[in-house]
Amino acid sequence: FHQECQEKKQRCSSILESLHHDCVELILERLDVDSLMRFKAVSKQWKSTIDSPFFQRRQLTHGQQSRGNPDVLMVSLYPDDDEESLRTLVLGSSSSVSIPTPWDADNTRFFVPYNSCDGLVCLYHRTKSGFVVNPTIRWYRPLPLCKLQQLMFDLGFSFYDLDYVVPSLGFGKDKITGTYKPVWLYNSSDKATACEVFDFSTNSWRYVSPASPYRIFGCPDPVYVDGSLHWFTECEDEEEPKILSFDLHTEAFQVVCKAPFADVDDLDIAICDLDNRLCVSERKWPNQVIWSFNSANKTWHKMCSIDLATTSQWFGRFTHVLLPLALLDGKKKLLFYCRERREALVELDLQTNTYDVVFHDFSIGDPVCYFQSLISIS
């Protein structure tokens, strides 16, 4: 049997060697990441091809088109000696796979932005260094503390006497240059805002000036869509919150539009990316409506509605907004979860209006969807 396998490998190798390398590349980009990681050992030429950013982007695009549904990375809320901080889930499977990391021994809870980007995920902590991670190839790169985190570390609990509003970290990509950028945007104590952007080329944070002209809500996570990060602005009286965007290429802020609802609690609204489209959601019992933004004519249209009476069997009735994660199965199903009751991933069939639990566990932690890729940041 061993000899037969060796003969098959030799035949395959000789066939591939007879092909023009352009043809080999077309074959390789259709393979999964695990296979490509093994095939880097075939030859120096194959390794050079698989390591090239151009090939990695093509392989990611093909994988997104062929696989359709993303995987889910679950970041543990309470990492300990018995549980790794990261687990991956292939939708449709009944169990997750743990990913050992060098920081597991610290038992530190990391937070994760709403978005992944090209298979990369940011992990962050208020007062500790964070990481950019590719969970597929087990690659990671540390992120030093930004100025805000250093201030929080130095002042300890007295930091909160300054009345700063510190939302979640944003993470996205300059779609012109392909540069990845973690971003902190926060309300400072003088009723202004400050913005810090991480530069991987210098391994340091820098301020963006001018910062946002509007203060932002602290609760809904920023979301990356089509080259820009987006936040809700604070609203006064009964006015609608605005959608503030930060172009990661020009590094300029602008208000894109008003939200399709007014006079809201920031714990009852969410902003999300569904199929590379900016969406917002408002929880108002007994429904949670999700709106999709048409950037061409600057209008919102109702995409779907979640029946909160039905979902209360998994999440309870008195919860804040449910968080949409992704559209699945050719945009036919919506994947979402509850941040307060992190025990289940639920999908809504948009055609039959039926609900199903796709994964249940004692804790799903902070879930983020991602596509498998070979990409890392040098």
Side-chain angles (χ1 to χ4, degrees):
F1 176 76
H2 178 71
Q3 183 178 357
E4 183 180 348
C5 288
Q6 287 295 110
E7 290 175 353
K8 284 184 178 179
K9 287 182 180 180
Q10 290 175 358
R11 286 198 299 271
C12 290
S13 178
S14 62
I15 291 172
L16 288 172
E17 287 175 359
S18 66
L19 293 175
H20 193 279
H21 190 67
D22 288 346
C23 296
V24 174
E25 283 192 27
L26 291 174
I27 295 171
L28 291 177
E29 71 182 36
R30 285 160 172 75
L31 300 180
D32 61 90
V33 172
D34 288 341
S35 298
L36 290 169
M37 293 296 288
R38 293 195 304 270
F39 287 166
K40 288 167 71 172
V42 170
S43 68
K44 290 182 179 180
Q45 187 179 30
W46 281 33
K47 183 179 186 304
S48 177
T49 294
I50 295 170
D51 285 340
S52 73
F54 178 72
F55 173 85
Q56 291 175 356
R57 288 193 295 270
R58 287 200 319 186
Q59 190 275 335
L60 171 63
T61 299
H62 189 273
Q64 291 171 327
Q65 294 171 346
S66 60
R67 292 193 62 187
N69 291 343
D71 292 344
V72 179
L73 179 70
M74 297 180 289
V75 182
S76 176
L77 301 180
Y78 309 107
D80 54 35
D81 295 335
D82 298 322
E83 180 183 359
E84 281 82 4
S85 59
L86 302 181
R87 293 181 295 154
T88 60
L89 172 71
V90 176
L91 291 172
S93 63
S94 58
S95 61
S96 59
V97 177
S98 296
I99 300 178
T101 65
W103 56 87
D104 281 336
D106 298 335
N107 294 337
T108 299
R109 179 194 172 178
F110 285 98
F111 299 90
V112 60
Y114 172 85
N115 284 96
S116 64
C117 188
D118 293 348
L120 300 174
V121 177
C122 260
L123 304 177
Y124 68 96
H125 188 276
R126 295 284 192 243
T127 58
K128 294 184 179 181
S129 297
F131 298 90
V132 181
V133 179
N134 183 325
T136 308
I137 61 174
R138 313 293 171 92
W139 170 91
Y140 67 92
R141 174 169 169 169
L143 293 175
L145 296 181
C146 71
K147 302 293 191 303
L148 174 69
Q149 291 171 298
Q150 189 64 56
L151 181 64
M152 296 175 72
F153 177 82
D154 293 340
L155 295 182
F157 286 110
S158 61
F159 167 83
Y160 296 99
D161 295 334
L162 300 177
D163 293 328
Y164 276 61
V165 175
V166 184
S168 302
L169 180 73
F171 179 57
K173 182 179 73 171
D174 176 344
K175 67 176 187 178
I176 305 299
T177 66
T179 303
Y180 299 97
K181 296 183 179 182
V183 176
W184 282 106
L185 176 64
Y186 49 93
N187 299 340
S188 56
S189 57
D190 57 358
K191 297 191 180 299
T193 63
C195 179
E196 298 185 56
V197 174
F198 185 72
D199 189 330
F200 284 100
S201 65
T202 62
N203 200 46
S204 61
W205 294 87
R206 55 181 169 78
Y207 284 109
V208 170
S209 182
S212 167
Y214 294 91
R215 290 169 65 85
I216 57 172
F217 270 144
C219 186
D221 290 353
V223 62
Y224 170 76
V225 182
D226 193 30
S228 296
L229 287 166
H230 302 80
W231 296 260
F232 283 120
T233 64
E234 286 184 348
C235 52
E236 298 179 0
D237 301 325
E238 295 185 0
E239 70 174 1
E240 303 96 331
K242 301 176 180 66
I243 307 298
L244 177 73
S245 77
F246 177 63
D247 187 306
L248 291 172
H249 179 62
T250 63
E251 297 193 349
F253 289 93
Q254 67 169 333
V255 169
V256 177
C257 60
K258 291 182 178 181
F261 37 72
D263 191 23
V264 291
D265 187 319
D266 61 350
L267 295 174
D268 287 331
I269 57 176
I271 187 167
C272 54
D273 165 30
L274 296 176
D275 194 40
N276 200 33
R277 196 161 207 176
L278 180 66
C279 297
V280 296
S281 185
E282 179 191 20
R283 180 194 186 279
K284 185 178 288 186
W285 184 269
N287 298 300
Q288 179 175 321
V289 176
I290 299 174
W291 303 81
S292 176
F293 184 63
N294 185 327
S295 58
N297 57 22
K298 308 293 184 182
T299 58
W300 296 97
H301 76 269
K302 181 179 175 181
M303 177 182 162
C304 65
S305 179
I306 299 174
D307 185 336
L308 299 175
T310 300
T311 60
S312 65
Q313 62 184 301
W314 303 296
F315 304 136
R317 176 168 178 171
F318 301 103
T319 60
H320 296 301
V321 65
L322 304 177
L323 297 181
L325 288 173
L327 292 176
L328 307 177
D329 297 348
K331 308 179 190 179
K332 297 176 182 177
K333 296 179 180 178
L334 173 72
L335 182 71
F336 62 94
Y337 81 108
C338 174
R339 180 168 279 180
E340 292 167 281
R341 300 276 295 272
R342 306 168 192 253
E343 300 168 359
L345 292 171
V346 177
E347 67 179 16
L348 164 63
D349 190 311
L350 300 175
Q351 296 180 321
T352 64
N353 203 35
T354 55
Y355 297 81
D356 187 31
V357 175
V358 297
F359 184 75
H360 188 278
D361 202 352
F362 173 75
S363 172
I364 62 170
D366 280 326
V368 58
C369 292
Y370 73 100
F371 281 95
Q372 294 186 12
S373 84
L374 293 155
I375 293 173
S376 59
I377 304 172
S378 58

